[in-house]
Each structure stands twice: as C-alpha cells, then as structure tokens.
Amino acid sequence: MHLAHYLGLLHRAQVNLADAFRQVADAHAEEPDIEHLCQQQAKRCDAYAEQLHPFVVRYSEDAPDEPDRLYSQLFTGTRTGGIGLLRDLQDLYLMAAECDITWTVVGQAAYGVRDKDLLAVVRRCEGETAIQLKWLRTRMKAAAPQALVVAD
Amino acid sequence: MVDRIADPWGERTPYGPGQEWPVRVDRYLADGRGDADVDRWVQSASVLHSNGDALDIGVAEGRIVGVRGRAVDRINRGRVDPKDLYGWQANHSPDRLTRPLVRDGDRLVETDWDTAMGRIVSRSKELLDGPGGWGHFGFYTTGQLFLEEYYALGVIGKAGLGTPHMDGNTRLCTATAAAALKASFGTDGQPGSYTDVDHCDAIALWGHNVAETQTVLWMRMLDRRRGPNPPTMLAVDPRATPVAREADVHLAVRNGTNVALMNGLLREIIRRGWYDHDYVDAHTLGFDELCRITDGYPPQRVADICDVPAADVERAAELLGTSQRLLSTVLQGFYQSNQATAAACAVNNLHLLRGMIGRPGAGIYQMNGQPTAQNTRETGADGDLPGLRNWDNERHIEELARLWNVDMDTIPHWAPPTHAMQIFRYAEQGSIKLLWISATNPAVSLPDLSRIRRILKQPELFVVVQDLFRTETAELADVVLPAATWGEKTGTFTSVDRTVHISDKAVDPPGEARSDLDIFLDYARRMNFRDRDGQPLIDWSGPEEVFEAWKECSRGRPCDYTGITYEKLRGGSGIQWPCTDEHPDGTERLYTDGTFNTDPDYCETFGQDLVTGAEFTEPEYRAKEPNGRAFLHTVDYQPSPEVPDEEHPLLLTTGRTVYQFHTRTKTGRAPQLNQAAPDVWVEFNAADAARFGIVEGDLVGVSSARGAIQARARLCGIRPGVVFLPFHYGYFDQDPADRTPRAANELTITAWDPVSKQPLFKVAAVAVTKLADGRGVPSPAPTVGGSAPPADADVPPTVGGPAAEATSGKE
C-alpha cells in the first residue's frame, strides 16, 4: 500500500507551503494584509501538517520503499516590488494547488481504506486549502493591473 | 436655559413603549440673540455625526447666528447634539480658506482659481496620456459632503478617468457596517428605523458609545429608560462609558475579542432554545455551520478569552435571548477592531436566529460614524459602485455604462474598487501620482502617521486638498482648493436609517470659496470628459440636476430615490429610501416579509470568506441557491495581528469625546466645544496606574512600535490592561516651534479587516512611562462621558458657563 508515501508527500507539501507563506510575509511586510494573512495561513498549514502526522506514522508500517521522484520543488525564494509580489503570490498559488489536489488524492485513498478519521481531516483541510487558493487569486486579480500596466 | 456642555443630553422627556417620542426643541443663538433677531430659518440637518438630526439654520444680516432642532423630524423631534448646537461657529473662523493656494517650493502661496485648476488639469492630462493612465489617479474623500457631490465625483472617477482608486474616510468609520449588511442580507441598507427605540424591550450596544457619538439617539434611549416599561440594556465596551454605566449588563471585554464573545452568546441562545426555529428554517442559510463553530465557545472559554466573568456572559445571553423586541446598535468598538466584519455579521446572526428583524422594535443599526457616510456607499465615491451595484456582476456594469453612455470597459470592474489603505500604498510605491483629498485630514486620522506624512511629502506625488482650512494635510499639498461648507451650499444627505434630508444654502461662502460640487464640475469641464457619442459626459450645473440624475441611477436598486424630490424634502421631516411611486412616503423597515436581497441578479456581492477576504464567484454564489434567504456567517476567533508583550504591555484603544468630531477641523474652532475638551489625555484604570506609578494629571509618554506621544493621565473606569486616547488631536492649533507629539494615530498599526478593509485602530500594543508629575493639576479630560473620573476625585466638573446657555423645550 502506497498511501504512506502520498501522506508523506502531502505532509511535506504543507510544511513547505507554511515556510513559503512565512518567507513571503517577511519579504512583503510593507503590504500589511499580505504579511498578516500569510502569517495566518502559515499557521493553518502547520496545523494541517500536525493533523496529518499521526496518519503518516500509522500507514508507514505498511509502506514499501519510497518510489523515486515523488517530490518536486516549487519555491526558490522571494522577490521584491509590485511584480515581485505578484510572482511570489503565484508561487504560493501553485504550491497551494499542489496541496489541494494532493488532499483530493489522499481523500480518495481514505475512502479506499475505509478510514473515517482520515477522511474527516481531509474534508476539513481540503475546504480551507480551497479558500487559500481563492484568497491568493483574489489578491492577485486586484494587484495585477496596477503592477503590470500602471507602475513604472 | 441649559448648559449643554455640562449636560450634553439635556432634560429627559420620558415615554413608554409604542408611544411617540415627545418633542423637545433645542436652540442656540449666539450673542444673546432671541428668535426675533433671526431674519429667516433655513432647513438643514446635522453634519457633525451620523444621527441625521434635522435642524434649521438661523440667519441674520447674511450670517449664520444659530440653530434650532426641527420638531417635525422623525429622527430628533427637535433635539440637537451639542456638536451641532455650537459647531456652526467654525464657519465664521477668521482662518477659513478664501483663495486657492499652490505650492511654491516649501511654501503655499495664494493664487486664482484658473491657476490652481490649471495645474491640476495639466498634471491630470499628462498622467492620463498612455496605457494605464487611469491608475495614476487616487481620490480620497469623506463622509461629510452631500450626495450630489459624491455622485458627481463617482462619475468623474469611474466613467471619466476610469479609475478604481476611489475611497472615502468612510473606510475608517463605516466600511464594516456596509460589508456586514452586504454579507448577511445581500445588499447594503439598514433593516431598521430609529423608531425601533420606541418599541423595543431590550437594547444591545455593541462597541457603541452612543451617548457621545450620537447624543440625540442616546436621549431617545434614555427617555425610554426613564419611562414606563423601560427596555433592558446590554453594553459591550472596554471603557466605563455613559452607556456602560447605564446598562443592566456591561461586558468590558479585552480589545480584539469580540468574535469570541459573539460566538459564546450565540451558543447560549441556541442551547437554551431561545432562537426562532421557524424563522431560521424559512429565512436563513448556514445554521448547521453556525452551530458547529459556536459550539466551541462555552461561557468559561469566552470568559478566558475576553477576560469577563462567565456569569456575565450567561446574563447577557439571557437578556438577549428572552427579549421580545430586540434593538442592536454597532459601532467602532466592533468596526475598528480585530475580525471586524465577522463580529458585525455575528450581530446580524443574533437577529436572524431570533427572528428580530423587519418589525417595530426589532431593529439593527449597523451604524455610521459620519453624517453622509451612507451616501458615499450609495453613490460610488467610496469602494462601492453606484446604486449598491455588484462590481462582479456584468449586467450591473452594463446598466451603468448605459446610464452614463460610456463603454463598459471604461468602468473599472475587474476587481473590487481600491480601498483607502491600498490607495495610500500605491501612492507610497509611486504608481498613484495624483492624490485628490477632499474634506478629510488623513495626516491626523489615518493609522501610523509618520508613514502617512512621508507618503504625502513625496515630491513625485501631486497632492490636491479641498477643504475649509489649512489642515495638517493641506500643509503638505501641492494645490489647496478653498471649499464651501454646510450652510453655504445646497444638497441632500442620508442618515443611518435611510432617512434623506435636504440641507439648503443659508449664506454665501467666504471669499472665493466654492462648493465641492462646483469644484468637481469645473474639473470635469476642464478635463473635457466625453461620452460614447462625443457629448460631454457631465453637463450638470447645479445640485438639483445631479440629484435628478442620481435618481435614475438608483432606479430599481435597493436605495431607490425615484419618489423623492427637493420639493418633497423641503418643509417636511426627511424621507426614508426606498421611496418610489408605489411607496411615495418612503419605507420605514426593510425585510418585513423575511425576504432578503440575496437574489444573484440583484445582490451587491457574491460573498467573501470572512477570514481572508477571498471573493467567491458568481457560479459559487448561485450554487448556494439563496432564494431570498439571509446568510449566517460564522468564523472562529483569532487573536489580533498585534497583542501586548513585555515591551508593550498595554492595549491601546482610541475613540471620540462628546465635544469633538474628527480631527477638530470644526469643533476645535467652536469655543464652547474646544474649551470643554481642549487637549489630548490618556485614560488609565486605577490598578494599571498604580503599577506604573501614575496619578491623575501626570504627564505620560505612550509609545508603540510606530511612534510615541505625550498626554496627561486621567484615572477612570476603563478596564485593566487597556488605555484610551481620544483620536481628535493633531497639530493645527499648536505653535510649530513648540509642538509635542499628541495624535493618537502616531501609535496605531497599519492593519485592516480582510473583508471591510477597515483599519484596526483599537488594538495597538503600547508601553507607558511617567514623564512628569502633574502636581495636582488634573488632566484636560472632560468629566462628562467615558473619561468621567470617580466621584471622590478632586477634579472640577466640565461646564460651558454662560456662553453655552441654550434653550430647550418650552423655553
């Protein structure tokens, strides 16, 4: 059973996303809403990772060796300025999208193993990850015209 | 005669439930004049707070000489707030601006209108030339102009220049009220009416010190309290305000914890079976989710988070839950605090759960701080679209495009209109290059003032200021335009409960000062804005024409004005929108049949996540199938972005005194008001004061991560761990060589609610140090209002003396 690998993947993706949210919060602290909401979302990601952890442990007992090339790197540091902010938010968006689809995949597996506890965690976290995506999209939509067309 | 400084609320006229509020006509004429010395009375309404009190302006020899309340008015029944009673004298100040000013190096020099407008127009045309030129313009207006002026400004911005960067200082006072009404009920617009005070059996005041912010509304509440079968009263406020002292239950919550309190109260009401099951079933969406979230807030947890006794939370829930006709009023204690929109929505939830909406006595006032704030929200001069339209609804934009005969693409609608704090951020970054500020004073009223001053001083930013005086902001402008004010121009404005009043011109403005409408129309003419057919976009010449145009814009929308005319407003007592052919006398209450404005084709928003502000899309909204039902929105409590730590151990809250308004632009120039509260002070609880070795009158340094100020200490009834500063005091009346920092906003944090974008003025963490001994001289804080010292303190009472003597009632 390979569920442990996907749980591990999701766990790491959430930890990475939390870290990226914190980096963007620090890099764009002059945008107070970005700073505040990125810090807030980082904490949420921490909480998701924490909730996943017991399942990672539980299913690792049945796991064969980890397959190759499971992990990918999406975030390589922050940028500055108006366009920099857009690019950083877009990176966060892609990372959150990866988490989002991984929750879906893990949720399907939870059905497969008839694990109601895992399914409850997936349902809760999946919904909030969707909100993260929506917020990032909302913020980018508002910022894009000024950053790309107006700013010098 | 009544000294309305010593007694801002005047004589009681008690009345019982269901009775009409008795008339009491307040009047103040300066210089010992009597009624016989008045040539004529000109109809108007209050402009120094949001109550909407109708009054007449007394004119003699071409000058304003006093005011009196309008007995026929449905809102005040003749009463006048002390700010309005005395504040008009500022119109006559010798330092009124009478000619335009332009910057010449480090000075502002007098010039003529052609030169001043010429500079603005040539800079505008230069900036507009090229792709994205619209994005260089920002407009920051007020809650003080008239409806006609906002609508003209909205058309200039949205159809002329095509910029979304327009907002008002209503962002600081009323944005959360609008956001909460939209989120819960589908569109903006107050469900209730001020007459709900006459019918209610319980009043809950959520972060609203109504006694000082809207004294006439408080008189109405007090008169019910002194009459037979008085309503019970609940106050939520960290300070011992007059409201808190009057209330049967006072919850002095720790700043920034309102959502935890509300969740706890809603949980009790559900658990004890005090909610209206049938109403919830038929008229709301989201009950299960509300139960799931509020279930996590038992009284003891609420008590721990909010630092109030658990038993008081239970008492408050019982007061709310067992009332038959509940009236709620909400203001800055909720709006300028952590999780503002969520907390304000929770009050709406309370009324929806209990079915307390749309009938006499069951009202909600999501209040405004400013008199014409409602109009900015309706006309599109702030971060909304005209006629309470939805920026994300293509059909709504098409309607506007048709109305104005412009291309749909001209009207910015790719995202919500830019909010004030973001406008200043774009100015800081240099992409907004022309910032036009009308009738507001951000150099004192916005958070983190050193940053705001830095932004306004940037040489690349062209700043236009339109005002009555050389305010702290005007001093930093490139062009200053002298504006006419209330009493010197005609227009309409709308109060919190949707009552439209007319304010007629009583006297001429001083010198070359012009009405704000004339200034905006002049700009439009000089910019030569054209519609799709090459005709002038704006061809109005006076307020009544603009009002008629606005009526067309409002047609079919919730704020339908089509049944109102200037003629109908004159002589009468104000008309509540919607007012149409079918409802020619207006509409007292909305949602009387439990059907809300949540239809996807009609609603003002497709909704937002209350935690992040994420916008939901039209398909997502339609999938909810609201079918006229209201939304119950609930979120978990989260701590403020700034909480006390070792370095900054106290929480700062800011607010108003009964005698001053805003940054004292007018009240600071009215002698009676100025003398009653002449300088800043800082309020301490006795236990905190003892801890820091501070006694009444000591000079105290208050500092945050942003800045530091000095103020004299008042020991009073504020809750432990919290200090209070009035936000009015800037620097215009201080000798530049001898200035000490005293503006509360030197300390406040740049942060805002994710949904309403209203700044969080009430949750800064601060440190305090004693700087000098007061040597027995008390602080300049009034003894009236929230800053009242304990009865045994040796502080002389605040009085107005002979100069403040006003008449009241039958006198």
Side-chain angles (χ1 to χ4, degrees), chain B residues 301-321:
Chain B
R301 180 168 181 230
V302 174
D304 293 344
I305 295 172
C306 303
D307 191 24
V308 291
D312 284 358
V313 176
E314 288 169 356
R315 282 176 65 208
E318 185 170 354
L319 186 155
L320 299 167

Side-chain angles (χ1 to χ4, degrees), chain B residues 297-344:
Chain B
Y297 296 82
Q300 192 51 53
R301 180 168 181 230
V302 174
D304 293 344
I305 295 172
C306 303
D307 191 24
V308 291
D312 284 358
V313 176
E314 288 169 356
R315 282 176 65 208
E318 185 170 354
L319 186 155
L320 299 167
T322 57
S323 62
Q324 301 303 308
R325 293 174 306 281
L326 171 66
L327 172 63
S328 278
T329 164
V330 195
L331 197 62
Q332 309 308 359
F334 272 40
Y335 298 164
Q336 294 177 342
S337 191
N338 182 39
Q339 297 187 286
T341 305

